[in-house]
Amino acid sequence: MNNAPIAVFDSGQGGLSVWSELYRGLPHESLLYYGDGKNCPYGNQSKEQVTEYVDYAVRRMLEAGAKMVVIACNTATAAAIDYLRASYPVPFVGLEPAVKPAALTSRSGVIGILATAGSLKGHLFQTTAHKYADRVRIIEQVGEGFVELVENNQENSPEAYETVVRLLKPMLDAGADRIVLGCTHYPFLADTMRKVIGDRDVQLINPAPAIERRVASLLEQYALTADVDHKPEYTFMTSADDVYLARLIAKSEQAKALVSAGNAAIFR
């Protein structure tokens, strides 16, 4: 047994869509969330720069006692996960766009991938996309502006609706019946996406529940699970200022409320 916290890292607030699944599914585990608000967004930054940011954050989280690190950022995973696993002795869990479940369940044979430029260029995505390219048509789209909307709490604004229409319409017009949310910020825009999708039979695919299952499996594998009577603590860190830290904490309450309400559009 190990009552140390599980660390969750993201470029900003988006990783709270993963954090919330861990909060729901692992109620005895303490969680440490680090949002790199100072350097967000990562999408168009170089692999070397992103790796430097993530490495600094991981060192801080390990100094704070983390027993496992979840890189709840697709761009950071694509840039740095191999380096992190080779450099530190704790288990790491990374993310990649969920092409496989989308490809295997699509009825139309067309799937859309919403992700950052860094994720779409990454080896993990390219390898997986190539594997399923003969099964489905894959439409890639950089989620331009999505991260900024979530970071500024504008998910339900007219600007958000216009941005979602612009980016989703080509996928919907092409017949996509599965749309992969390939950045952890994007699930916070799922309600607006649903308004744009309307009555079309289209599913949004969020990898966060699968990440929670993977974390639970690794906790068992490495004998890192917390005691069943452990009272969890929830801690937040940032590279930014106290104002941003307060925004992270407020966003976590929003994420917890949405999980408690069983909002399938965002967290399932």
Side-chain angles (χ1 to χ4, degrees), residues 86-249:
S87 301
Y88 298 101
V90 300
F92 283 87
V93 177
L95 278 81
E96 62 178 293
V99 176
K100 180 179 179 179
L104 294 180
T105 62
S106 174
R107 294 183 301 276
S108 69
V110 182
I111 66 173
I113 312 293
L114 286 167
T116 66
S119 294
L120 293 174
K121 294 175 183 176
H123 173 73
L124 289 173
F125 171 73
Q126 291 292 330
T127 300
T128 307
H130 178 74
K131 182 177 180 179
Y132 293 98
D134 61 346
R135 185 184 185 102
V136 292
R137 177 188 174 195
I138 299 175
I139 302 174
E140 302 174 16
Q141 175 62 60
V142 174
E144 297 173 357
F146 281 4
V147 170
E148 291 82 357
L149 288 166
V150 174
E151 288 289 313
N152 291 297
N153 292 319
Q154 295 180 328
E155 298 97 317
N156 298 305
S157 66
E159 180 184 356
Y161 184 84
E162 293 173 3
T163 303
V164 170
V165 168
R166 176 170 53 84
L167 298 185
L168 255 62
K169 191 173 186 300
M171 295 181 176
L172 299 173
D173 289 347
D177 66 349
R178 300 290 185 272
I179 296 178
V180 175
L181 306 181
C183 170
T184 54
H185 281 80
Y186 299 175
F188 285 99
L189 287 157
D191 279 347
T192 300
M193 291 181 189
R194 279 291 172 202
K195 292 176 184 177
V196 173
I197 291 168
D199 59 1
R200 298 178 180 90
D201 185 15
V202 175
Q203 292 186 12
L204 301 176
I205 297 183
N206 174 14
I211 295 302
E212 184 273 325
R213 293 190 294 271
R214 178 61 176 161
V215 169
S217 175
L218 289 176
L219 289 174
E220 291 285 345
Q221 179 180 337
Y222 291 99
L224 292 174
T225 54
D227 293 321
V228 294
D229 59 351
H230 173 62
K231 184 177 180 180
E233 297 181 357
Y234 304 107
T235 309
F236 296 85
M237 300 172 64
T238 184
S239 59
D241 56 18
D242 289 343
V243 173
Y244 190 84
L245 183 63
R247 289 170 58 197
L248 274 181
I249 295 170

Side-chain angles (χ1 to χ4, degrees), residues 3 29 35 38 40 73-74 104 143 174 178 199 201 206 221 253:
N3 292 333
E29 297 289 346
K38 180 180 178 181
C40 185
C73 175
N74 296 74
L104 294 180
R178 300 290 185 272
D199 59 1
D201 185 15
N206 174 14
Q221 179 180 337
E253 292 300 318

